[in-house]
């Protein structure tokens, strides 16, 4: 895995980082920097949810034979809940819109083109809809699928056993309840307070 930034990431992430769909992306600047942003911005359990969201979205994409932007999909998954944090800008539209603004700034810093940015930020902005819009692109549909499957289990028949397998690799017991409380609190207060600086082990290369 080339060009992995020597930064700290939690040990709890390592079983998910070794999963082939994610391990194959590590070393790409967009992906590595998205991982670092997750660690800086997200509470630990929400960060694990974001990793699982990507892996479930990728599994659905493979099952459907969908053509998509894997690195972009990972960036969208990494940022889709960042609007819940104190680092998010105050914009209209609730936390998904705040998340989309943070993602757009991140993508712009990486020189991502306008069309790709538009598709990925739309995926984040609309991931809390009950169902994807009819004209949603593949990244929006897959991110929506992965996020909903991880939190509430919807769509599990499409990728049998995958949600449980990933939850065993990186468990977050009672996550659906705690996440719902976090979203409700965020709605009341606009954004959540800043979290303390993260600590943990160094980012390691996945075992082959």
């Amino acid at each position: 895995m080339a060009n992995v930034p020597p930064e700290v990431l939690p040990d709890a992430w390592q079983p998910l980082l070794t999963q082939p769909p994610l391990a194959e992306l590590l070393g790409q600047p967009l992906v590595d920097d998205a991982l670092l942003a997750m660690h800086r911005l997200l509470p630990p359990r929400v960060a694990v949810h974001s990793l699982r969201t990507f892996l479930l979205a990728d599994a659905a994409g493979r099952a459907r034979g969908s053509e998509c932007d894997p690195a972009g999909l990972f960036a969208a998954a990494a940022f889709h809940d960042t609007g819940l944090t104190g680092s998010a800008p105050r914009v209209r539209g609730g936390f998904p819109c705040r998340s989309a603004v943070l993602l757009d700034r991140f993508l712009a810093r990486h020189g991502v083109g306008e069309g790709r940015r538009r598709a990925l930020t739309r995926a984040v902005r609309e991931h809390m809809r009950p169902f994807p819009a009819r004209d949603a692109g593949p990244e929006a549909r897959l991110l929506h699928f992965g996020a909903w499957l991880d939190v509430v289990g919807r769509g599990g028949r499409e990728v049998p056993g995958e949600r449980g397998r990933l939850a065993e690799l990186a468990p977050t017991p009672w996550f659906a309840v705690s996440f719902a409380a976090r979203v409700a609190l965020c709605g009341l207060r606009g954004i959540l307070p800043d979290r303390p600086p993260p600590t943990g082990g160094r980012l390691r290369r996945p075992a082959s």
Side-chain angles (χ1 to χ4, degrees), residues 104-206:
D104 190 59
R105 293 174 181 175
F106 172 80
L107 295 173
R109 289 196 299 271
H110 279 267
V112 174
E114 184 178 350
R116 189 182 183 198
R117 282 165 55 191
R118 189 183 306 115
L120 297 175
T121 54
R122 179 183 179 180
V124 168
R125 193 169 55 251
E126 297 184 357
H127 81 272
M128 288 292 287
R129 292 172 57 113
F131 296 97
R134 290 185 178 181
D135 62 343
E139 292 79 22
R141 291 184 175 278
L142 293 174
L143 179 68
H144 186 280
F145 176 89
W148 280 78
L149 175 55
D150 189 60
V151 177
V152 301
R154 192 173 77 185
R157 291 183 180 180
E158 193 167 338
V159 285
E162 193 66 5
R163 182 188 187 221
R165 186 182 73 84
L166 295 176
E168 288 182 4
L169 288 174
T172 50
W174 297 100
F175 177 74
V177 175
S178 64
F179 184 75
R182 181 176 293 276
V183 171
L185 180 60
C186 182
L188 291 172
R189 298 180 60 175
I191 54 176
L192 295 176
D194 288 320
R195 58 187 291 248
T199 58
R202 293 175 71 84
L203 174 60
R204 299 194 298 268
R205 296 186 181 186

Side-chain angles (χ1 to χ4, degrees), residues 26-116:
L26 298 177
Q28 297 187 33
L30 190 70
V31 172
D32 288 350
D33 286 352
L35 282 166
L36 298 179
M38 283 174 56
H39 188 40
R40 185 177 72 254
L41 296 172
L42 291 175
R45 289 161 62 88
V46 179
V48 170
H49 157 66
S50 296
L51 293 172
R52 292 193 309 239
T53 291
F54 167 74
L55 291 168
L56 291 169
D58 178 86
R62 292 172 190 266
R64 297 172 182 178
S66 297
E67 295 283 342
C68 76
D69 170 7
L73 178 61
F74 179 79
F79 275 83
H80 81 283
D81 284 335
T82 53
L84 291 168
T85 72
S87 300
R90 295 181 181 273
V91 297
R92 292 183 178 180
F95 87 84
C97 290
R98 294 193 289 271
S99 300
V101 170
L102 287 174
L103 174 61
D104 190 59
R105 293 174 181 175
F106 172 80
L107 295 173
R109 289 196 299 271
H110 279 267
V112 174
E114 184 178 350
R116 189 182 183 198

